[in-house]
Amino acid sequence: MSSSLISSGPAFADLGLAAPLLRAVQEAGYSTPTPIQAQAIPLVLAGGDLLAAAQTGTGKTAGFVLPILHRLMAKPLSPKPGRPRCLILVPTRELAAQVEESVRTYGKHFPLVSMVMFGGVNINPQYKALRGRVDILVATPGRLLDHVGQKTVDLSGIEILVLDEADRMLDMGFIRDIRKVIALIPKQRQTLLFSATFSDEIRILANTLLNNPGCVEVAHRNTPSELVEQSVHLVPQAHKKEFLSHLIRHHNWQQVLVFTRTKHGANKLAEKLLKDKIPAAAIHGNKSQAARTRALAQFKDGTLQVLVATDIAARGIDIDQLPQVVNFELPNVPEDYVHRIGRTGRAGITGAAVSLVDNEELGYLKDIERLIKRAIARVVVEGFVMPEAAAPHEGLDDRRPPRPAGGRGGPNRGGQHNNRSGAPRKPAATGHSAGQPGKPARSPGAGPAPSRHTTRPTSALLGSGAAKKGRE
Ligand code: AMP
């Protein structure tokens, strides 16, 4: 983890954690606590409630799992089957699996038993696990309530409740489920609430749930990591698939997480990339859990070059050093942009977030820039050539400016980077500009006036409106 994420404060050994936990931390390869860990661990160890503003990637999971393990071990173990002492509620299956994995990693020298519980998978193994002892239960709200309904889990012994990524749980409509769960657990408990953003709804939830909480805030609210290099390409929607395929091949990106707004869009894009011989898969709520787990594993081990995901499916994907995030469409909720690009620029490694923006999305772009209080550089990519034949079917004729005299090389030729908002110009070496500076945008080997595949200036391909915007 980079020095920017590591506090100059205490060492792990100073935080008051039991020796088996320090050993596990050392074995995980962590030398210094992150700021959230340095602040949250002593507060949780002291038994107080906690309200934490922390995004994924800050080390927040260890920030609550380590002191929870310590506190659970400080009391005699309760051998009652199916009656956990700690409940960690999370929004997605992926996050549930990751948090439970962290519980195992940090708790490996303790005799505590953890269990992960989410929907979309066979419930029978969960019944079986609940017939034994479970100390720490990591669950998504829906499946937990299924078990509550069937009386296969008993929540009356909960001593510690964690709401992880609470903002996302509210976005996903879990508020009623959360309230139902809370009504079932003892009022006398310790409650920890983690959220990346703080809407009024989160504040209300925090006020009703937490008792005189300690507050910890590590990253500026709604501020993306400084380690993420952000850029925008103005591209008509109908050309985005072709454009993305070009970007991936041109830059030889090896591990790209691409966000689409819809499940259908995710499928279509993955199909197009596969057609272009780029190993890709889509993950979203309509895919089986097995398919999602497989795709994620292949993406992690490098077999799969591109993972296309909807916001909800991508939530909680924890891949260290993810170098490249692409917004195939901008999210219409600006905070989601911050969540999305938080998948890269983690753990001290720089990353890049590229957004493909159609004219129709310029309003969303403005909202995002207002939220992050920063202009995002508009970058023109040279060398992207759209097959002429494809254009009429894509309904783009009305967007194109007249072809410049001479047939090639419009106003944007020569590796010029446009920047509407006064953000610093990006040098070609940033990896966003294909083609060589000073050379017109041409497809390799494009001859004079071919009949089907025509070399076209980038400005023309971006559409008149988009290209103009880019130069303002
Ligand atoms: P999280 O924010 O909990 O998702 O953690 C982000 C990543 O940071 C995970 O891959 C952790 O393994 C890693 N991590 C957590 N704490 C530390 C630490 N103190 N030093 C180095 N890496 C850490």
Side-chain angles (χ1 to χ4, degrees), residues 1 12 29-34 37 55-62 106 318 320 346-347:
M1 194 163 276
F12 271 113
Y30 308 162
S31 52
T32 324
T34 65
Q37 291 162 1
Q55 298 177 355
T56 301
T58 53
K60 69 181 166 72
T61 315
Y106 306 134
D318 174 25
D320 288 343
R346 280 191 188 184

Side-chain angles (χ1 to χ4, degrees), residues 433-447:
S433 172
Q436 290 171 19
K439 285 210 177 153
R442 297 192 50 171
S443 69

